[in-house]
Amino acid sequence: MAPMCEPIQIEMCKDLGFYNVTRMPNILGDRRQYDAHLELAMWKSLIAYGCSSRLSFFLCSVYVPMCSDMVPQNIGPCAPLCEDVKARCFPVMEKFGFRWPIALECSKFPTENNDVHMCMKGPDPTGEDHHQLHSYGWRRFTDRGVNVPTKPTKPYRHRYSQHYGLCNKYKVESFYYINGTGRCTQTCDSEVLFSRVNKNFAEIWATVWSVLCFLSTLFTVSTFLINSSKFHYRERPIVIISGMYNVYSIAYIIRLMAGWKEVSCHVDSQHGVPILIQESLDNINCTIIFVFLYFFRMASDVWWVILTIMWFLSVGLKWNNEAMQRRRIYFQMFGWSFPTLKTIAILLLRVVDADELTGTCYVGNQSPQNLLGFVIVPSFVYLIIGSIFLLTTLYYILKSKYSPALHTHHRNNCCRVEKLDILTARIGIFAVFYIVPALCVLTANFYEYYSRDKWLAAGSNSRPNVDVFMLKIFMSFVVGISTGPWICWSKNALNTWKEFYNRFNGNERPMSMYIHESGEETTVQKTSSV
């Protein structure tokens, strides 16, 4: 069902006299009238010059097209109207290095209003349309307050055609001002913070660690799936974390296979040049990689917190496996709800952006505010909560170590207690180890948040330390890589693969049982039949 018609809110287009309602998104894809207003504001100086009396109507018919409840499509301008306006106004624009926007190419509009394609012919031209170009045209950009010299040089015209003076705070010229986002973004081929050598090495570096992470986590998850009954419930968060990192590594592999530009770039309709994606969901490759990287990384952090909680419940409060399994619904809700809500919020706010170094899509790569709100703060909170549970559990362990009750176990239970202690130790070591890479990644993100504006500032010689970003890439995979050796630590892994191999090759032999009685204890043992 098409959206309802809404009154035109933009002052410039309210009193056209032809129509007074519109429907969003418009022909160019702007979803709000506010976005269309930003686009139209850039044309005020040309309208004030008066190159065409029909320019205002043409622009309004594009950015806030006519809406009718009887027609499901927006009604925009006809091609002859566009051609007439372009013929009169483009020479003025060309004098200052401005290009006619690709999005407004006249061939995109219907040639005439008929039963197949409806369009508006607009008002008839007036005698004022025959004004001649005066000297060098505009004296100032009235909508932005940017003064233009009487006889600008070619580089000066080029700079203002890119960003209208709004990106002068950056030390390089490779930035374009995007009306839709109200921010500046760099071109795809530019080397703003990182050189081509840095990018090539980062690609090789990420390839090595992502492949190792994929193989290690695949082994961990496969071992669990072959015989999940051998895993205690409190071990399962580690398996889930391994699965999260498996998908995380797949995202990098997809990026490497798809290509740098195919993921992180798109052609801007305003300037007609390929730019690094900023607050956009137009590139499906970029969106998929963002979801894989952000959701599963945040889910991994949350499940690590759950792991520390389970460790605390097991060691500190003496909960058994069955008690924790009965509460699994709460663990599941906590583990999946927070990453899901944050991911949906980012997609709705359209703040996904591309990273210049790796060519991947995440959030906060170009916006320090988004980096702080969606990455640094949540990661810091998870790290604090998990650390509190870890320290509390370690306190209980140290307390029980010197407790006299520790030495009163019955002799018959010694073996069971020893195995339980080994399992507890394995889980605890993994939980503590997780802190190191998480803290390194958090520190690298804070380093970028604190320094990014300095790196880009005009007149600044400050550059990012590439080693910090390479360490961040490595630490982003090291937890996943460690899950393979962790699961090999258990004898269950070796036995699981042996049993799987025997079943697969049909070598599984029937088992005989005999009963051995010793006093009051009865033991059932299985041996291979000879």
Side-chain angles (χ1 to χ4, degrees):
M1 182 178 179
M4 299 292 292
C5 297
E6 58 185 66
I8 295 177
Q9 304 292 335
I10 302 172
E11 291 293 332
M12 169 182 162
C13 303
K14 276 186 176 181
D15 302 320
L16 292 175
F18 289 83
Y19 63 97
N20 55 12
V21 291
T22 186
R23 179 191 289 125
M24 307 301 286
N26 61 18
I27 297 173
L28 303 183
D30 296 320
R31 298 180 178 277
R32 302 175 300 172
Q33 289 198 46
Y34 176 76
D35 299 330
H37 170 70
L38 293 176
E39 297 275 356
L40 283 168
M42 307 308 299
W43 294 86
K44 284 186 177 179
S45 298
L46 187 61
I47 295 172
Y49 178 78
C51 59
S52 171
S53 62
R54 311 169 79 189
L55 176 60
S56 295
F57 181 88
F58 168 70
L59 294 173
C60 290
S61 66
V62 172
Y63 289 101
V64 280
M66 179 179 177
C67 174
S68 173
D69 292 330
M70 302 179 66
V71 181
Q73 294 85 15
N74 290 328
I75 304 174
C78 295
L81 171 62
C82 172
E83 292 166 355
D84 179 75
V85 170
K86 181 179 179 180
R88 299 178 189 277
C89 297
F90 180 60
V92 181
M93 300 170 63
E94 198 173 24
K95 282 287 183 179
F96 294 93
F98 288 84
R99 290 173 291 183
W100 189 260
I102 296 177
L104 300 185
E105 281 299 330
C106 300
S107 59
K108 296 183 177 181
F109 305 115
T111 56
E112 62 179 2
N113 184 35
N114 52 41
D115 296 337
V116 179
H117 300 290
M118 299 187 67
C119 62
M120 294 182 287
K121 297 180 180 180
D124 295 330
T126 66
E128 297 178 355
D129 287 344
H130 301 287
H131 285 318
Q132 298 297 320
L133 180 64
H134 174 268
S135 181
Y136 277 87
W138 312 316
R139 298 294 175 148
R140 63 197 304 265
F141 285 85
T142 56
D143 58 315
R144 298 292 182 180
V146 180
N147 294 321
V148 180
T150 305
K151 293 185 178 182
T153 62
K154 184 176 180 180
Y156 188 89
R157 294 199 306 268
H158 175 68
R159 290 275 309 220
Y160 277 91
S161 67
Q162 289 181 197
H163 50 65
Y164 322 110
L166 298 174
C167 301
N168 287 337
K169 63 180 181 179
Y170 298 112
K171 61 184 178 183
V172 293
E173 297 186 8
S174 306
F175 281 87
Y176 283 76
Y177 183 80
I178 309 301
N179 292 337
T181 63
R183 290 165 50 198
C184 301
T185 190
Q186 67 190 75
T187 57
C188 258
D189 296 326
S190 60
E191 298 176 3
V192 177
L193 295 181
F194 303 98
S195 66
R196 177 55 54 188
V197 174
N198 297 148
K199 296 176 184 179
N200 292 338
F201 181 79
E203 184 159 334
I204 298 173
W205 186 253
T207 301
V208 172
W209 298 118
S210 61
V211 171
L212 286 177
C213 181
F214 173 77
L215 295 176
S216 180
T217 53
L218 181 63
F219 172 76
T220 303
V221 175
S222 299
T223 304
F224 172 78
L225 294 176
I226 289 173
N227 195 347
S228 60
S229 61
K230 289 187 176 182
F231 288 80
H232 287 260
Y233 184 74
R234 56 196 173 121
E235 289 181 280
R236 298 195 178 190
I238 299 179
V239 179
I240 294 176
I241 291 173
S242 181
M244 301 300 100
Y245 274 90
N246 183 265
V247 181
Y248 186 88
S249 63
I250 289 175
Y252 269 86
I253 294 173
I254 291 175
R255 208 296 288 154
L256 295 169
M257 294 176 63
W260 200 94
K261 293 184 179 180
E262 285 71 15
V263 172
S264 60
C265 302
H266 74 96
V267 178
D268 175 57
S269 60
Q270 178 184 347
H271 299 284
V273 296
I275 61 172
L276 204 63
I277 290 176
Q278 178 190 81
E279 300 188 2
S280 174
L281 301 179
D282 297 333
N283 188 325
I284 187 64
N285 294 329
C286 177
T287 305
I288 292 174
I289 288 178
F290 158 73
V291 173
F292 280 14
L293 291 180
Y294 185 81
F295 175 82
F296 290 99
R297 179 55 194 267
M298 288 294 134
S300 172
D301 288 345
V302 177
W303 277 100
W304 171 75
V305 174
I306 295 174
L307 178 67
T308 62
I309 294 173
M310 288 186 176
W311 202 48
F312 167 74
L313 295 175
S314 175
V315 176
L317 302 185
K318 308 301 181 184
W319 283 30
N320 58 27
N321 196 59
E322 291 73 18
M324 284 186 288
Q325 195 163 0
R326 285 197 297 269
R327 275 83 173 179
R328 63 182 180 275
I329 183 63
Y330 302 108
F331 295 134
Q332 296 289 338
M333 290 176 58
F334 179 66
W336 302 117
S337 59
F338 287 101
T340 300
L341 292 174
K342 287 188 296 180
T343 304
I344 292 175
I346 292 170
L347 293 174
L348 291 177
L349 293 173
R350 300 176 67 85
V351 292
V352 176
D353 52 16
D355 177 30
E356 178 190 355
L357 179 62
T358 62
T360 57
C361 289
Y362 205 64
V363 58
N365 288 315
Q366 302 177 49
S367 170
Q369 293 75 21
N370 293 332
L371 179 64
L372 178 66
F374 289 108
V375 181
I376 294 178
V377 171
S379 299
F380 179 76
V381 171
Y382 297 147
L383 195 60
I384 291 297
I385 295 174
S387 299
I388 290 174
F389 280 104
L390 283 179
L391 292 174
T392 305
T393 308
L394 291 174
Y395 166 76
Y396 277 106
I397 291 175
L398 293 175
K399 181 180 178 181
S400 62
K401 180 178 180 181
Y402 300 101
S403 173
L406 181 66
H407 307 287
T408 61
H409 292 294
H410 192 273
R411 179 179 179 181
N412 293 332
N413 294 330
C414 66
C415 296
R416 184 180 61 82
V417 173
E418 183 181 356
K419 291 181 179 179
L420 182 63
D421 288 342
I422 293 175
L423 177 60
T424 301
R426 290 177 61 238
I427 295 175
I429 290 173
F430 181 88
V432 173
F433 171 76
Y434 192 99
I435 295 178
V436 177
L439 189 60
C440 290
V441 172
L442 179 62
T443 303
N445 286 330
F446 186 78
Y447 167 69
E448 183 177 2
Y449 166 77
Y450 180 77
S451 306
R452 184 175 180 84
D453 289 339
K454 296 179 183 178
W455 298 334
L456 294 173
S460 172
N461 294 323
S462 178
R463 303 251 334 155
N465 187 333
V466 180
D467 293 338
V468 174
F469 289 88
M470 297 305 165
L471 179 63
K472 175 185 174 181
I473 293 173
F474 169 68
M475 288 297 175
S476 298
F477 294 106
V478 72
V479 171
I481 295 172
S482 68
T483 60
W486 179 87
I487 203 168
C488 286
W489 188 359
S490 171
K491 292 181 180 179
N492 287 339
L494 181 60
N495 294 332
T496 296
W497 283 101
K498 283 183 177 179
E499 293 174 5
F500 175 75
Y501 176 79
N502 290 332
R503 289 198 305 266
F504 183 78
N505 289 277
N507 296 329
E508 188 174 18
R509 298 180 179 179
M511 311 294 288
S512 63
M513 299 189 342
Y514 67 89
I515 300 177
H516 173 74
E517 295 186 0
S518 176
E520 296 179 355
E521 182 181 12
T522 301
T523 306
V524 178
Q525 299 180 349
K526 297 182 179 180
T527 61
S528 298
S529 60
V530 180

